[in-house]
């Protein structure tokens, strides 16, 4: 799966980016951003499907009350096009629309339960390294219990941390498949965009290896492919998510980098579209 990034409310760029990514991945994931108004998830799902890509759309509780969340879920269920990634949503920074009220009527677990009750394919997210770390595996199992079918894990800097999390979660009852995140960056801006996300940390040696390389783009692609292949060998990891801005040089360049990584992963794994 690959993150899909495009300017907000730009249907043409969204479709063209999805078309570029579609041959290199099984699905594209579109976020629900705190700092910009975009199309609603149900519309994003239609636009991505129009581009012959498989949509996974994020639905966050931050900016919607329960009624508007239910409206979106009913629209998504009616079309039947997308998996919905149910998240609580990060709170806005103090300088991002300070005049606008944040809702948080529901959290990600309750939203997942509501989505599952409508028959939607539900994905949920968990951050293995977020405090309190000890409760994260059981929290993920609880999301499974309310109807989630798959989990997307936020990136962890060390493979051993992911292994420990998965082992603990399985002991607690985790059975659903897990998608592990692979950070994709090729310059300081795209690295900073990832590092600025709550709970996400990039291993310092990986940052240095990519950013100081003679060709940071080639280095960023190679390290992402290597990490993806390593993660896919772990028990319980059913897939990877190519996560991040990828490049500060624009949407087209970023999508080309993501697509190249996806194609190389498929080739290495012997997978054909």
């Amino acid at each position: 799966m690959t993150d899909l990034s495009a300017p907000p409310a730009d249907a043409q760029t969204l479709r063209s980016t999805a078309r570029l990514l579609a041959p290199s991945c099984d699905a594209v994931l579109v976020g629900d951003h705190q700092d910009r108004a975009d199309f609603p998830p149900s519309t994003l799902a239609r636009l991505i499907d129009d581009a012959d890509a498989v949509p996974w759309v994020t639905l966050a509780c931050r900016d919607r009350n329960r009624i508007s969340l239910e409206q979106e879920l009913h629209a998504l269920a009616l079309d039947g096009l997308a998996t919905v990634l149910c998240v609580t949503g990060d709170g806005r920074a103090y300088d991002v629309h300070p005049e606008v009220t944040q809702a948080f009527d529901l959290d990600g677990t309750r939203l997942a339960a509501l989505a599952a009750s409508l028959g939607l394919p539900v994905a949920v997210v968990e951050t293995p390294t977020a405090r309190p770390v000890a409760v994260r595996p059981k929290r993920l199992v609880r999301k499974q219990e309310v109807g989630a079918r798959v989990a997307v894990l936020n990136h962890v800097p060390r493979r051993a941390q992911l292994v420990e999390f998965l082992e603990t979660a399985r002991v607690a009852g985790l059975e659903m498949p897990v998608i592990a995140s692979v950070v994709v960056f090729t310059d300081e801006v795209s690295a900073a965009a990832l590092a600025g996300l709550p709970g996400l940390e990039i291993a310092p040696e990986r940052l240095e290896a990519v950013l100081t390389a003679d060709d940071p783009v080639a280095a960023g692609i190679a390290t992402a492919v290597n990490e993806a292949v390593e993660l896919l060998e772990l028990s319980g990891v059913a897939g990877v998510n190519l996560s991040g801005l990828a490049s500060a040089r624009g949407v087209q360049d970023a999508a080309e980098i993501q697509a190249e990584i996806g194609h190389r992963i498929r080739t290495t794994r012997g997978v054909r579209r």
Side-chain angles (χ1 to χ4, degrees):
M1 183 166 65
T2 305
D3 281 2
L4 189 158
S5 298
D10 183 340
Q12 182 176 353
T13 301
L14 185 83
R15 286 195 188 99
S16 64
T17 305
R19 288 192 185 98
L20 195 160
L21 293 172
S24 65
C25 61
D26 299 299
V28 294
L29 172 64
V30 62
D32 190 353
H33 303 286
Q34 63 166 335
D35 58 350
R36 65 191 195 192
D38 203 345
F39 294 119
S42 52
T43 302
L44 290 169
R46 296 186 198 110
L47 291 170
I48 294 168
D49 181 74
D50 286 346
D52 296 321
V54 177
W56 283 39
V57 296
T58 305
L59 184 58
C61 303
R62 174 188 52 251
D63 301 313
R64 300 175 180 86
N65 62 22
R66 183 182 179 114
I67 296 299
S68 61
L69 289 168
E70 289 189 26
Q71 289 173 330
E72 273 303 305
L73 290 173
H74 281 298
L76 289 164
L78 177 65
D79 289 341
L81 301 175
T83 294
V84 56
L85 181 66
C86 296
V87 302
T88 303
D90 300 321
R92 288 192 220 102
Y94 72 93
D95 58 345
V96 177
H97 296 302
E99 76 285 359
V100 178
T101 301
Q102 301 182 72
F104 292 114
D105 277 7
L106 300 177
D107 61 13
T109 303
R110 292 180 176 86
L111 179 61
L114 184 58
S117 73
L118 296 177
L120 280 159
V122 177
V124 291
V125 67
E126 192 56 74
T127 304
T129 55
R131 296 180 181 178
V133 173
V135 307
R136 295 291 163 176
K138 292 182 179 179
R139 203 173 93 126
L140 184 56
V141 172
R142 177 56 183 157
K143 293 175 182 179
Q144 172 184 276
E145 292 170 349
V146 302
R149 300 185 190 179
V150 61
V152 180
L153 300 184
N154 284 327
H155 177 73
V156 297
R158 309 291 179 194
R159 176 177 171 175
Q161 293 171 300
L162 178 59
V163 170
E164 181 180 1
F165 174 85
L166 291 173
E167 290 176 348
T168 304
R170 281 195 289 270
V171 169
L174 183 70
E175 297 178 350
M176 64 180 171
V178 164
I179 296 174
S181 288
V182 174
V183 288
V184 180
F185 63 95
T186 56
D187 49 46
E188 290 186 0
V189 173
S190 54
L194 284 163
L197 296 174
L200 194 149
E201 179 185 354
I202 305 172
E205 62 271 21
R206 181 169 177 183
L207 278 171
E208 182 179 4
V210 172
L211 298 181
T212 63
D214 292 337
D215 186 343
V217 173
I221 290 172
T223 57
V225 172
N226 290 340
E227 182 181 24
V229 171
E230 289 180 357
L231 292 178
L232 286 167
E233 293 174 351
L234 297 179
S235 175
V237 174
V240 291
N241 176 39
L242 303 182
S243 177
L245 186 62
S247 173
R249 294 182 298 176
V251 173
Q252 177 79 14
D253 284 337
E256 289 175 354
I257 289 169
Q258 292 168 318
E260 177 63 19
I261 294 169
H263 286 305
R264 291 194 193 183
I265 294 170
R266 286 180 177 277
T267 299
T268 303
R269 298 281 294 179
V271 177
R272 294 183 179 180
R273 179 74 180 191

